[in-house]
Amino acid sequence: MKQLLFCLFTISQLSIMAQTTISGKVTDDKGIPISGANVYLDGTYDGTATTENGEFLFTTKERGQQTLIVSFISYETFSKTTFVENFKNINIKLRDDVNTLDAVIVNAGSFKAGENEKVTALKPLDIVTTAGAMGDFIGALQTLPGTSNVAEDGRLFVRGGDAEETQIFVDGMRVFTPYSPTANNIPTRGRLSPFLFKGITFSTGGYSAEYGQALSSVLLLSSIDNPEEDKTNIALMTVGLGIGNTQKWKKNSLSVNASYINLQPYQELFPDNNIWHKSIQSLGGEIVYRHKVNTDGLLKLYGAFSTVNFDVTQEDINTPEGFRFGLRNRNLYFNASYKDYLPNNWSVQTGVSFANDYSDIVIRTDNVKDTENSAHLKLKFSKYFNSRFKLNFGSEYFITNFNEDYSASENKDYNFTFNNNILASFVETNIFFSKKLAANIGLRTEYSNLLKEFSVSPRASIAYKSGNNSQISLAYGTFYQNPKNEYLKFNTDFSAENTSHLIANYQYVKNKQIFRAEAYYKDYNDLVKYNTEQPLPTTIFSNNGSGFAKGIDFFWRDNKAFKNIEYWVSYSYLDTKRDYKNYPIKATPSFASQHNTSVVIKHWIDKLKSQIGLSYNYASGRNYTDPNKSGFLNSKAKNYNALNANWAYLISQQKIIYFSVSNVLGTQNVNGYQFRNQPNTNGVFESRTIKPAADRFFFVGFFWTISDNKKDNQLDNL
Amino acid sequence: MKKILLLLTLVFAASVSAQTDYEKGMTKAFELWKNQKNTEAIQLFERIATAEKDNWLPPFYAATVQIISAFREKDETVLTAKLNKAKEYLDTANAISKNNPEIMITYALLNTAYIAFDGQKYGMTLSGKNVAIYNKALAIAPNNPRVVLSKAEWDMGGAKFFGQPIEPFCKDVKKAIELFKEEKQTTKFYPYNGLERAEKILENCETKSSQN
């Protein structure tokens, strides 16, 4: 018995005597001591915090192999496993955590909106509460620098590129016909409803190798992964009705939206300068189904259907009775995407999108029936090696089948058809050299079946943090895009149009204030040229066109200086010339304006339970050709000015009244001029001014949300 | 017999001393927290968490202290760094104890810290998430006073934001107080706290109602 006790005593003594001292010093990668870092042996109570000199010292009774852990906020956690005796006077360097807000961001060319972004130029609510945007997310993006205001068109014109040089993607899958069709001189709207998206990246140049077939810009939308609750939305508007419902159960959710727009009552009340035989009517529906396959895997199915109908006679100087244009359009879009995490830090993303677009157009007495079937298939893998090195690669296939039946009044029928299929592959790495220096380097290859042509596009961007709040970035890339459908239907002996982007960006971000300046140079080559006024079956086409665009964009956003006020200011300077289409010389195209400015202000008034918004847009005059003078694109129209206002009033948490007026001051803007084909007896070409259909547009809506969450409302849908 | 007794004593002593490490550690950490030494408290909770891999309380407290300290933060970089760390701790706690209402409402508190910092930026998505969390927590533990109280606080915050009366939620606070008083405190270091806060909120409620 005594022996046993003695034994036990000795063992306990031994264990006390066998204390090991653990000591060392913790610094950052520049050797500067880190004080207050947490140092301990994993799975034990033994540990301490480092002193002001970064030193630590503690004892442990543990023996054998142990793991020493050093952790400190905004640094990567250090761990080392070895025999406990070896943890003596060791020097530990903690590496910066590159996932913090103050780490450098590779962002040349792009603007992001979404709460998960490090720097947000636009917030989710901005997409829909910007005055003048009228709930169209494209409208909100037009307040960012790099875009040109083309009031009669409504699409995105980016940095001297025309609207077809911008492509839109939802969850990585292309949207083939993103805009509703419309008549001449009436701006279009995006077909996608803004509240389906949780994040938007708008790249005005130098974008990732993952995206192609866009010479100027890509707009990347990511849809909501998982709605939070069941709800019903009802909208009563001066221009139509809308209803939406979301249901959630276990691993699934389903959202259904339907809208009916009819502009007839509005147009009767406020007639515009067109003669409407049939006012614009559109009927649209969307369904989103989401299914969680396992803890990480998510399947999303999105389907949208819309029809648009109208018939209008518009003023035309060459036809005294006016120009009649009627359209019936039907559009079906389907998008399925799946993403999941795989073992060993791999992840996979795959998807398919499909669009069927059918238009039946009456132009005077001619009838055109266009059918476009397009599909996009994509498979992408990503490997996350560590927080400093990531690799993405994948392949995609685009299919477009276009068919046009043209019946001219003289009983002549024509048929034009083509298949435009493209196979593309891409690889890209994201590397953080340190918290201050990072780069994305990628390569994209494309093969076009139609053009029998292979292209290689390198892409690279690099960013360096030059100060605590500032950084500079550079980007370079080459971009290819097949010619437009309106050319391909007559001729397929083309090369892809292409451009290169060189971008330099400076950004300063401090406490809810953002300043950025970005200079760019774009060099266009192999642009399509033709020798007739409009592309025709008999036209001779070539790829001999070229051009350039250069400029500088400024952006300032401040959410801090004034209480309850947020505002931003954008200014863009653009210098561009091109020789393309049927241009006789290099000239600045009619969609480009040299100076563009937007100011957006939002003010929340507690007492009135209201948000008041104002926006002001300015664009310097755009070119047109005056046949009474010599030369081509030889004159400038007057400057464009518009002040827009909106007011959202919360009747209760779930009921909102929304008023909006575009161009409050009724400024007489000019969209361009139309000249007679023949001069009059004095040898002068008479002209008429092309004005917007109406100077002002009023909108009143009542929005009601029914859900368990009494705070939910449609402020974010407006 | 003696041998057995001795053996038992030894075993008991050993187990007592093992528990003491935990108790000592937790007691010390709470003391640090009380004395506003937040960083030290968080670090000690973190160390205890690695030693007590099956106990959700240490990482839960590491997260709680981190989140509460983030509420006063003015710098978004520091805010997100703190809240990311807090989320790591909470994820650890959540992996040990799934569907735990105390952990769920702390996730909601974390979201609230973001919303309080910038409602325009974070409010749209996170407030929906919070409502979902509170509804789920209430379904799991309808008689947990902290769940009832934090949901009432959340609802009051929303009512205030939209300029609506907070009185309808006073009865929820009253109910929480009753539940606090009924609650049997059996687990050491369990986050039973909240009664004082509830009483303060109710006082505020009643003065407001009597003014009207």
Side-chain angles (χ1 to χ4, degrees):
Chain A
M1 184 63 218
K2 271 188 182 167
Q3 274 175 335
L4 178 71
L5 264 178
F6 179 73
C7 230
L8 277 169
F9 185 69
T10 333
I11 290 168
S12 67
Q13 280 294 318
L14 268 176
S15 70
I16 289 166
M17 282 159 66
Q19 276 197 345
T20 313
T21 303
I22 290 173
S23 64
K25 190 174 176 179
V26 179
T27 63
D28 67 8
D29 47 14
K30 283 197 212 81
I32 296 163
I34 296 174
S35 78
N38 202 7
V39 186
Y40 55 91
L41 288 184
D42 191 25
T44 75
Y45 280 86
D46 304 328
T48 185
T50 54
T51 64
E52 270 176 31
N53 306 323
E55 284 160 359
F56 61 91
L57 178 85
F58 63 94
T59 56
T60 181
K61 294 175 200 167
E62 305 294 332
R63 314 190 57 184
Q65 289 230 345
Q66 292 294 332
T67 302
L68 183 75
I69 293 183
V70 183
S71 81
F72 193 54
I73 206 156
S74 76
Y75 287 89
E76 286 178 13
T77 298
F78 169 93
S79 81
K80 189 179 177 182
T81 306
T82 183
F83 287 97
V84 72
E85 304 82 46
N86 295 340
F87 292 127
K88 266 206 177 70
N89 292 323
I90 56 169
N91 284 316
I92 294 162
K93 275 193 176 162
L94 288 189
R95 300 219 299 175
D96 287 320
D97 181 359
V98 294
N99 288 322
T100 53
L101 272 190
D102 56 340
V104 69
I105 317 157
V106 183
N107 71 339
S110 70
F111 287 96
K112 299 198 172 193
E115 82 280 7
N116 292 325
E117 300 304 334
K118 289 177 174 177
V119 175
T120 43
L122 281 186
K123 299 184 178 187
L125 273 173
D126 292 332
I127 299 299
V128 281
T129 57
T130 296
M134 300 278 176
D136 184 13
F137 62 95
I138 302 290
L141 295 173
Q142 280 165 344
T143 64
L144 293 178
T147 59
S148 284
N149 186 317
V150 185
E152 71 275 19
D153 190 286
R155 294 179 294 172
L156 281 170
F157 288 76
V158 179
R159 289 184 172 169
D162 82 19
E164 302 202 27
E165 294 178 19
T166 297
Q167 299 285 6
I168 300 182
F169 296 82
V170 169
D171 296 325
M173 306 311 298
R174 180 152 151 199
V175 183
F176 291 91
T177 39
Y179 299 102
S180 281
T182 176
N184 237 334
N185 200 32
I186 294 172
T188 180
R189 289 172 65 89
R191 286 186 203 262
L192 303 165
S193 79
F195 62 94
L196 290 169
F197 304 104
K198 60 168 184 189
I200 292 183
T201 300
F202 177 41
S203 176
T204 52
Y207 34 88
S208 150
E210 191 180 335
Y211 303 99
Q213 289 297 309
L215 288 181
S216 279
S217 163
V218 289
L219 178 61
L220 312 175
L221 307 163
S222 47
S223 66
I224 293 165
D225 285 341
N226 221 337
E228 302 301 339
E229 50 172 356
D230 295 357
K231 68 173 164 191
T232 301
N233 290 328
I234 295 167
L236 303 171
M237 301 165 286
T238 43
V239 295
L241 311 164
I243 185 156
N245 182 271
T246 294
Q247 293 293 324
K248 226 187 126 164
W249 68 99
K250 284 192 176 164
K251 292 178 170 173
N252 307 287
S253 72
L254 183 71
S255 304
V256 183
N257 286 308
S259 70
Y260 171 70
I261 304 288
N262 186 340
L263 285 170
Q264 195 175 346
Y266 182 86
Q267 278 160 349
E268 274 174 16
L269 216 55
F270 303 99
D272 57 30
N273 59 18
N274 297 311
I275 300 158
W276 292 95
H277 310 288
K278 212 192 263 166
S279 288
I280 295 180
Q281 271 194 64
S282 73
L283 184 65
E286 289 167 310
I287 290 185
V288 192
Y289 170 73
R290 311 164 193 89
H291 175 67
K292 271 194 105 168
V293 179
N294 49 47
T295 39
D296 297 312
L298 182 68
L299 175 73
K300 281 191 230 178
L301 303 176
Y302 171 87
F305 177 77
S306 65
T307 63
V308 179
N309 270 313
F310 63 84
D311 186 2
V312 64
T313 295
Q314 297 182 302
E315 205 185 332
D316 189 286
I317 195 161
N318 291 310
T319 356
E321 71 274 16
F323 186 90
R324 187 156 180 172
F325 183 81
L327 179 137
R328 280 187 302 135
N329 174 270
R330 184 190 71 215
N331 186 274
L332 180 71
Y333 179 68
F334 173 78
N335 172 330
S337 67
Y338 177 72
K339 59 180 176 188
D340 201 354
Y341 290 94
L342 305 171
N344 295 324
N345 289 322
W346 281 91
S347 64
V348 62
Q349 241 180 302
T350 182
V352 54
S353 74
F354 170 78
N356 169 274
D357 190 78
Y358 171 78
S359 290
D360 184 345
I361 307 162
V362 179
I363 308 166
R364 290 199 176 101
T365 50
D366 295 358
N367 179 256
V368 185
K369 289 188 172 76
D370 281 348
T371 312
E372 188 181 330
N373 284 304
S374 325
H376 177 197
L377 299 109
K378 184 169 175 179
L379 179 63
K380 176 186 161 189
F381 289 97
S382 305
K383 166 88 178 171
Y384 176 93
F385 289 91
N386 54 52
S387 63
R388 291 171 181 238
F389 187 69
K390 264 180 266 178
L391 181 69
N392 303 306
F393 60 89
S395 275
E396 57 187 345
Y397 194 60
F398 296 99
I399 303 165
T400 300
N401 169 265
F402 181 88
N403 185 71
E404 180 170 298
D405 289 311
Y406 195 105
S407 355
S409 39
E410 313 87 49
N411 274 336
K412 278 184 197 154
D413 290 348
Y414 303 93
N415 174 269
F416 309 103
T417 182
F418 66 86
N419 287 306
N420 183 6
N421 299 345
I422 297 162
L423 175 69
S425 296
F426 56 89
V427 56
E428 188 164 64
T429 60
N430 312 121
I431 313 162
F432 270 96
F433 298 101
S434 74
K435 201 171 181 171
K436 287 191 162 183
L437 184 66
N440 294 345
I441 296 160
L443 191 72
R444 181 180 177 89
T445 61
E446 285 179 350
Y447 178 75
S448 163
N449 271 340
L450 181 67
L451 310 181
K452 301 267 177 286
E453 195 180 59
F454 183 76
S455 69
V456 180
S457 327
R459 314 270 170 95
S461 51
I462 187 161
Y464 174 71
K465 187 119 183 164
S466 48
N468 281 339
N469 302 306
S470 63
Q471 66 162 49
I472 43 179
S473 341
L474 290 171
Y476 173 80
T478 63
F479 304 84
Y480 288 82
Q481 185 170 4
N482 279 7
K484 296 176 191 180
N485 290 354
E486 57 173 304
Y487 309 147
L488 288 176
K489 70 185 181 193
F490 299 131
N491 181 37
T492 57
D493 185 17
F494 282 119
S495 280
E497 300 184 305
N498 60 78
T499 176
S500 64
H501 298 179
L502 183 62
I503 299 169
N505 170 298
Y506 172 82
Q507 179 172 282
Y508 182 89
V509 180
K510 193 181 176 186
N511 258 342
K512 303 188 184 179
Q513 292 179 322
I514 304 172
F515 171 76
R516 52 182 273 168
E518 193 165 284
Y520 60 89
Y521 183 81
K522 287 159 83 173
D523 185 22
Y524 284 92
N525 281 301
D526 297 333
L527 298 180
V528 169
K529 279 188 70 81
Y530 50 83
N531 66 343
T532 45
E533 197 182 332
Q534 296 293 329
L536 295 168
T538 52
T539 300
I540 299 166
F541 291 93
S542 80
N543 267 118
N544 294 334
S546 64
F548 72 89
K550 60 186 178 193
I552 184 158
D553 297 340
F554 294 98
F555 178 76
W556 164 251
R557 176 163 188 149
D558 182 353
N559 303 336
K560 198 181 81 172
F562 309 101
K563 209 189 161 203
N564 289 332
I565 289 184
E566 302 200 336
Y567 72 93
W568 68 90
V569 180
S570 303
Y571 168 75
S572 317
Y573 171 78
L574 169 68
D575 177 13
T576 181
K577 279 192 172 150
R578 21 169 100 188
D579 172 16
Y580 80 141
K581 292 187 172 173
N582 53 5
Y583 285 24
I585 48 159
K586 237 178 204 162
T588 303
S590 60
F591 58 77
S593 45
Q594 200 168 24
H595 306 279
N596 267 282
T597 303
S598 297
V599 182
V600 179
I601 304 172
K602 294 174 189 191
H603 180 35
W604 171 256
I605 305 171
D606 258 340
K607 276 186 190 160
L608 297 175
K609 292 189 266 176
S610 300
Q611 192 199 53
I612 291 177
L614 286 174
S615 74
Y616 170 71
N617 300 315
Y618 165 84
S620 63
R622 291 181 275 126
N623 279 354
Y624 66 94
T625 305
D626 182 348
N628 296 313
K629 291 197 242 168
S630 67
F632 177 68
L633 290 172
N634 50 13
S635 304
K636 265 199 169 72
K638 71 178 248 198
N639 298 337
Y640 174 90
N641 283 287
L643 180 71
N644 312 304
N646 66 14
W647 178 30
Y649 172 65
L650 293 164
I651 303 174
S652 73
Q653 285 184 18
Q654 300 196 307
K655 290 179 193 143
I656 297 173
I657 289 193
Y658 183 82
F659 299 91
S660 156
V661 188
S662 64
N663 194 8
V664 180
L665 305 175
T667 313
Q668 298 275 320
N669 285 308
V670 169
N671 286 343
Y673 298 90
Q674 189 192 19
F675 289 85
R676 275 197 196 279
N677 293 337
Q678 305 299 329
N680 64 14
T681 46
N682 299 328
V684 176
F685 290 89
E686 288 173 9
S687 72
R688 92 181 166 89
T689 310
I690 306 171
K691 292 185 202 139
D695 286 328
R696 291 191 191 86
F697 189 81
F698 299 92
F699 176 90
V700 182
F702 170 70
F703 300 88
W704 187 16
T705 300
I706 306 160
S707 76
D708 289 343
N709 175 5
K710 297 292 185 294
K711 265 181 224 66
D712 221 36
N713 57 50
Q714 295 181 71
L715 195 56
D716 43 328
N717 297 355
L718 298 174
Chain B
M1 186 62 212
K2 266 189 181 171
K3 276 186 198 173
I4 295 171
L5 261 179
L6 182 75
L7 211 64
L8 275 173
T9 322
L10 278 172
V11 169
F12 183 68
S15 68
V16 164
S17 76
Q19 184 143 35
T20 311
D21 267 353
Y22 172 63
E23 289 191 344
K24 260 201 308 214
M26 289 296 271
T27 311
K28 175 131 189 258
F30 280 115
E31 215 166 87
L32 287 166
W33 186 15
K34 215 167 128 190
N35 295 327
Q36 308 274 320
K37 293 186 172 166
N38 291 337
T39 313
E40 289 87 337
I42 293 163
Q43 292 190 337
L44 189 50
F45 282 127
E46 181 185 322
R47 291 207 288 272
I48 301 169
T50 66
E52 306 282 334
K53 296 223 188 300
D54 301 325
N55 189 341
W56 62 274
L57 286 167
F60 167 83
Y61 281 111
T64 305
V65 182
Q66 192 74 272
I67 294 165
I68 292 171
S69 76
F71 267 92
R72 271 164 260 143
E73 198 49 64
K74 290 276 170 285
D75 182 343
E76 195 168 4
T77 308
V78 183
L79 176 94
T80 46
K82 280 185 169 180
L83 293 179
N84 281 339
K85 194 84 185 167
K87 192 174 173 293
E88 277 174 34
Y89 296 137
L90 265 188
D91 290 343
T92 309
N94 192 39
I96 298 166
S97 175
K98 291 230 163 64
N99 286 327
N100 182 328
E102 312 290 351
I103 295 171
M104 290 166 72
I105 59 173
T106 310
Y107 272 114
L109 188 69
L110 189 149
N111 292 338
T112 309
Y114 277 114
I115 298 167
F117 180 81
D118 189 344
Q120 273 258 331
K121 183 171 170 186
Y122 298 106
M124 185 174 149
T125 45
L126 293 184
S127 61
K129 274 197 178 115
N130 270 8
V131 173
I133 292 174
Y134 286 126
N135 286 339
K136 193 176 169 195
L138 205 62
I140 293 172
N143 293 321
N144 180 318
R146 281 159 302 281
V147 172
V148 175
L149 177 68
S150 44
K151 184 170 188 303
E153 272 192 272
W154 170 259
D155 290 336
M156 284 177 173
K160 264 185 210 153
F161 180 79
F162 289 103
Q164 289 180 331
I166 56 166
E167 280 73 43
F169 307 107
C170 293
K171 65 170 187 345
D172 294 336
V173 181
K174 267 186 201 153
K175 188 188 167 198
I177 291 174
E178 275 167 35
L179 291 169
F180 270 118
K181 287 178 176 163
E182 285 167 14
E183 193 168 46
K184 290 195 179 70
Q185 308 202 350
T186 47
T187 313
K188 198 152 192 197
F189 303 123
Y190 191 92
Y192 291 113
N193 58 307
L195 178 59
E196 282 174 28
R197 187 177 172 80
E199 281 170 340
K200 214 177 253 175
I201 293 167
L202 185 66
E203 218 172 88
N204 198 16
C205 252
E206 281 165 346
T207 50
K208 275 229 170 125
S209 316
S210 60
Q211 277 168 1
N212 293 342

